[in-house]
């Protein structure tokens, strides 16, 4: 069985989607609480509660992370996650009740499916009900409407989705990743540099190179605005503080940049959250390096398991 982010004790993943509207949301539940850091590299992010994750700020642990479609509208799904957690008395204690801490990020998928139907409170709650150890991949959750390779517009993009990967060392350290891949750029094989999902060639089979398009005609600049973003959660059972978790999120972006070309553009809102559940001792550098590797693999799996839908072709690549 392939390793997944839920191999880490205390983490569950749930998805909910609208397959007609081609949108959805994914929740990573950490009901016992997990230290969390975040690093935003894209210049068009849609996020919530990221300021709270600064090592300078009070709250140490989060109880869930939301990944959603629907652009900024999709952040509403976090309210459903909060309701689910509050009903179970999970959250930051405030006296009369608890306040669940639920940071999140969204992708822009309004140009596919029905833009009028977005992830909402009910969908976020449903994703929590569906949460468990099985991690679905492909056209599910926040990856339902995800696409890559938008340099010539959506007419020639390729279907992407959601992917997960993890690694377990002999000493018990586990590092995992969950990625929703909606990049402006191409997905490339890190060994060969070959494009495996991206801008489809309007005049034949295969893929064009986004960098060549950009350098040649500048056409991409006119069509890319607000149509992208890759968002991810990396997680570990290592014992980290908020500063170290933030460093792991920062390092994980290097894995993203190895397989998404170009990456972190003005038209992407690339965001990585890092969770640490604190069960084993580990060096933060090792955790960060492994986070790069598993995030890279999760991104590749997101395009491998994507399926053609509503006229948007999948790449049809194999692991």
């Amino acid at each position: 069985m392939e390793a997944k982010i839920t191999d880490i004790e205390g983490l569950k993943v749930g998805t909910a989607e609208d397959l007609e509207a081609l949108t959805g949301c994914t929740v990573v539940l950490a009901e016992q609480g997990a230290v969390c850091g975040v690093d935003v590299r894209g210049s068009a992010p849609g996020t919530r509660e990221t300021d709270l994750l600064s090592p300078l700020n009070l709250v140490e642990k989060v109880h869930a992370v939301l990944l959603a479609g629907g652009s900024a509208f999709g952040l509403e799904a976090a309210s459903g996650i909060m309701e689910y957690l509050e009903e179970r008395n999970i959250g930051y204690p405030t006296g009369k009740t608890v306040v669940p801490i639920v940071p999140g990020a969204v992708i822009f998928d309004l140009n596919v499916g029905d833009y009028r139907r977005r992830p909402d409170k009910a969908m976020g709650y449903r994703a929590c009900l569906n949460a468990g150890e099985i991690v679905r991949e492909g056209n599910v959750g926040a990856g339902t409407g995800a696409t890559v390779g938008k340099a010539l517009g959506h007419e020639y993009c390729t279907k992407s989705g959601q992917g997960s990967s993890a690694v377990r060392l002999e000493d018990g350290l586990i590092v995992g990743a969950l990625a929703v891949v909606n990049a402006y750029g191409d997905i490339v094989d890190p060994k060969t540099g070959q494009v495996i999902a991206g801008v489809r060639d309007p005049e034949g089979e295969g893929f064009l190179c986004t960098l060549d398009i950009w350098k040649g005609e500048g056409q991409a600049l006119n069509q890319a605005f607000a149509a992208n973003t890759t968002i991810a959660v990396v997680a570990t059972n290592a014992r980290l503080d908020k500063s170290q978790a933030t460093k792991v999120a920062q390092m994980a972006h290097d894995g993203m940049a190895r397989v998404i070309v170009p990456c972190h553009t003005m038209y992407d809102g690339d965001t990585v959250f890092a969770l640490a559940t604190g069960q084993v001792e580990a060096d933060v550098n090792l955790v960060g390096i492994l986070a790069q590797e598993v995030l890279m693999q999760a991104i590749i799996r997101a395009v491998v398991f994507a399926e053609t839908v509503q006229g948007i072709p999948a790449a049809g690549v194999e692991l």
Side-chain angles (χ1 to χ4, degrees):
M1 181 180 295
E2 295 286 348
K4 298 291 188 297
I5 192 172
T6 50
D7 289 355
I8 297 168
E9 183 181 349
L11 297 186
K12 296 189 292 185
V13 172
T15 58
E17 52 276 321
D18 183 333
L19 295 178
E20 292 183 357
L22 286 185
T23 193
C25 68
T26 300
V27 60
V28 179
L29 287 178
E31 294 171 312
Q32 302 304 313
V35 173
C36 188
V38 66
D39 191 72
V40 180
R41 294 291 177 91
S43 293
T47 58
R48 77 184 300 272
E49 296 279 40
T50 51
D51 284 351
L52 187 65
L53 302 181
S54 166
L56 298 175
N57 292 335
L58 175 66
V59 176
E60 282 291 321
K61 295 185 176 183
V62 306
H63 306 97
V65 177
L66 165 71
L67 306 178
S71 189
F73 298 105
L75 293 172
E76 182 186 345
S79 296
I81 299 170
M82 291 184 70
E83 179 176 313
Y84 173 91
L85 292 168
E86 185 187 25
E87 288 176 352
R88 290 152 179 81
N89 199 38
I90 298 170
Y92 186 81
T94 61
K96 291 185 177 180
T97 187
V98 295
V99 177
I101 307 301
V102 185
V106 295
I107 66 168
F108 185 99
D109 58 5
L110 301 181
N111 287 341
V112 300
D114 187 346
Y115 72 92
R116 296 163 297 185
R117 288 155 57 179
R118 305 124 181 182
D120 56 13
K121 182 177 181 179
M123 185 180 282
Y125 192 94
R126 190 162 72 251
C128 293
L129 293 176
N130 294 335
E133 294 184 2
I134 295 174
V135 182
R136 301 167 67 207
E137 298 178 282
N139 299 10
V140 297
T144 303
T147 55
V148 297
K150 266 72 72 87
L152 295 182
H154 273 270
E155 184 178 359
Y156 299 107
C157 71
T158 300
K159 187 71 184 72
S160 182
Q162 173 174 286
S164 182
S165 182
V167 62
R168 181 194 296 265
L169 302 188
E170 291 183 0
D171 63 1
L173 175 66
I174 305 172
V175 180
L178 177 73
V180 175
V181 184
N182 192 55
Y184 162 67
D186 306 319
I187 309 304
V188 303
D189 184 328
K191 296 180 181 178
T192 66
Q194 179 182 359
V195 177
I196 60 175
V199 182
R200 290 178 291 110
D201 188 343
E203 299 181 359
E205 298 181 353
F207 301 103
L208 302 178
C209 173
T210 291
L211 285 179
D212 288 344
I213 296 171
W214 211 344
K215 289 186 290 187
E217 300 181 13
Q219 195 169 1
L221 293 173
N222 298 321
Q223 302 194 46
F225 177 69
N228 318 289
T229 288
T230 297
I231 51 180
V233 177
V234 296
T236 180
N237 62 347
R239 188 171 294 111
L240 304 177
D241 60 26
K242 284 175 74 176
S243 294
Q244 292 171 320
T246 301
K247 184 61 181 178
V248 169
Q250 181 189 76
M251 293 178 71
H253 272 285
D254 290 344
M256 187 183 295
R258 286 165 62 186
V259 291
I260 300 177
V261 181
C263 196
H264 305 148
T265 73
M266 294 295 292
Y267 309 114
D268 291 284
D270 302 330
T271 301
V272 176
F273 298 94
L275 298 175
T277 57
Q279 283 120 10
V280 302
E281 294 290 344
D283 182 88
V284 65
N285 297 288
L286 176 60
V287 175
I289 292 167
L290 294 177
Q292 295 171 8
E293 295 295 322
V294 294
L295 180 53
M296 181 177 66
Q297 293 301 321
I299 290 169
I300 292 173
R301 292 177 68 88
V303 299
V304 166
F305 288 97
E307 298 178 2
T308 297
V309 65
Q310 293 189 19
I312 307 173
V317 294
E318 297 181 359
L319 286 174

